[in-house]
Amino acid sequence: MPELPEMETYRRLLQQINGLTITDTHVEREKTINTPPERFAQIVVGNKITLVDRRGKHILFHLENHYVLLLHLMLGGFLYLGTTEDRLERTAQVTLSFGSRILYFHGLRLGYLHLLTTAQIDERLSELGPEPLAPTFTLSHFSSLLSGKRGILKTTLVDQHWLAGIGNCYSDEICFHAGILPTRRIPDLTSEEVAQLFRSLQAVLKEALQFGGYMDTPLYRGDGLTGGFDDRCRVYDRGGEPCPRCKHAIVGDKLSSRKVFYCSHCQN
């Protein structure tokens, strides 16, 4: 499932559609949207994109009529920006056309593209935790959030109500970078370990952003950024491979029905 670095990469690359007018739309799968396709088209078509924003794992397409398209890709979703000539040989659940350019929403069997008012958006996103890369998110803030938790580290890191944007992949990568097992209980962490976790969280997410996250499909033809972090993952989906730090085999396991990957030798 795309996480903060993947969605932020999309946000940055999609700045090229800011100011463009939606000239047409097509809905192949009605369950992907939250309103009848005819009304969806009536509200969306003819409006400019005024802002492409992100909150947690969501992308927000702000329209000039003050509606917002809220995208959550969930598992298997991805975007492609192209034309009818270079489109992918896959069904898109929704498309937004900007003249000859088309934004294809693929793989939204679990994901959605909901049309909401600004008030509805505020309500929908109100329960999300803070953004981990926001300038206001400090070690003090992070420590304060952790101080009230009693559970397992990985389970807490992926809780979107606690902190927005981190999922299975980056929770494991952060814990590996910090040298701390994702299975540790939070009350057992020392203040030094908490500080290291914060530094690792910042370092891993910033590196993932620098290399375009781990999505394996480019956003558009010639996109050389998207997916560059996939080969840089140290432990996620690397079960049985040698640890890049100590060469012991990486453990692949399940934790509360989630995949978890770590090195039992050099993470404590």
Side-chain angles (χ1 to χ4, degrees):
M1 181 185 296
E3 302 176 32
L4 187 156
E6 289 70 47
M7 301 309 280
E8 179 63 16
T9 298
Y10 275 152
R11 185 199 69 80
R12 293 177 179 182
L13 295 179
L14 286 170
Q15 296 309 305
Q16 60 189 286
I17 68 172
N18 268 345
L20 298 186
T21 298
I22 300 171
T23 56
D24 196 9
T25 184
H26 176 73
V27 177
E28 183 70 25
R29 183 176 184 270
E30 293 188 24
K31 289 184 179 179
T32 299
I33 59 175
N34 62 330
T35 188
E38 297 79 11
R39 176 166 171 74
F40 183 85
Q42 182 183 34
I43 294 174
V44 167
V45 173
N47 277 275
K48 290 181 180 179
I49 302 285
T50 60
L51 175 67
V52 181
D53 202 1
R54 181 193 59 79
R55 180 73 171 96
K57 299 179 184 179
H58 303 81
I59 292 286
L60 294 81
F61 300 90
H62 291 260
L63 308 181
E64 64 180 335
N65 61 359
H66 304 298
Y67 278 87
V68 182
L69 290 167
L70 180 66
L71 171 68
H72 197 310
L73 292 174
M74 301 293 284
L75 186 65
F78 67 97
L79 302 177
Y80 184 74
L81 180 62
T83 67
T84 54
E85 287 74 25
D86 70 1
R87 66 186 179 86
L88 305 179
E89 293 300 319
R90 291 189 53 164
T91 300
Q93 282 66 56
V94 181
T95 62
L96 297 178
S97 297
F98 306 90
S100 62
R101 303 178 76 190
I102 304 171
L103 183 58
Y104 296 88
F105 296 80
H106 289 290
L108 297 187
R109 296 299 176 182
L110 297 175
Y112 56 81
L113 183 68
H114 284 178
L115 180 64
L116 303 168
T117 64
T118 51
Q120 289 171 325
I121 283 287
D122 290 342
E123 182 180 358
R124 179 76 73 88
L125 302 181
S126 63
E127 294 185 358
L128 288 180
E131 291 285 332
L133 291 181
T136 54
F137 190 70
T138 62
L139 172 58
S140 176
H141 192 180
F142 181 67
S143 300
S144 177
L145 287 176
L146 275 179
S147 67
K149 303 296 287 186
R150 294 291 178 268
I152 301 297
L153 180 56
K154 169 153 183 152
T155 306
T156 299
L157 286 172
V158 300
D159 180 357
Q160 300 305 295
H161 300 292
W162 184 76
L163 198 61
I166 297 173
N168 274 347
C169 174
Y170 294 105
S171 57
D172 289 349
E173 292 297 311
I174 290 164
C175 289
F176 177 77
H177 188 281
I180 298 170
L181 288 168
T183 53
R184 288 275 299 278
R185 295 192 63 81
I186 289 173
D188 297 335
L189 297 174
T190 66
S191 58
E192 290 79 10
E193 287 175 323
V194 170
Q196 181 55 54
L197 269 173
F198 178 76
R199 290 191 292 269
S200 295
L201 181 152
Q202 299 276 311
V204 168
L205 294 181
K206 287 177 181 177
E207 181 187 3
L209 279 175
Q210 180 185 352
F211 290 95
Y214 65 74
M215 296 289 286
D216 57 2
T217 304
L219 175 62
Y220 51 83
R221 183 176 291 182
D223 169 15
L225 176 63
T226 301
F229 189 73
D230 189 44
D231 291 337
R232 302 179 72 87
C233 285
R234 277 73 172 181
V235 290
Y236 186 71
D237 264 351
R238 303 268 195 266
E241 296 181 18
C243 168
R245 195 159 50 205
C246 72
K247 307 309 178 186
H248 282 70
I250 294 168
V251 176
D253 206 348
K254 288 275 189 177
L255 180 66
S256 300
S257 77
R258 291 180 177 272
K259 293 192 296 184
V260 61
F261 298 89
Y262 57 88
C263 177
S264 58
H265 184 260
C266 66
Q267 288 175 257
N268 300 304

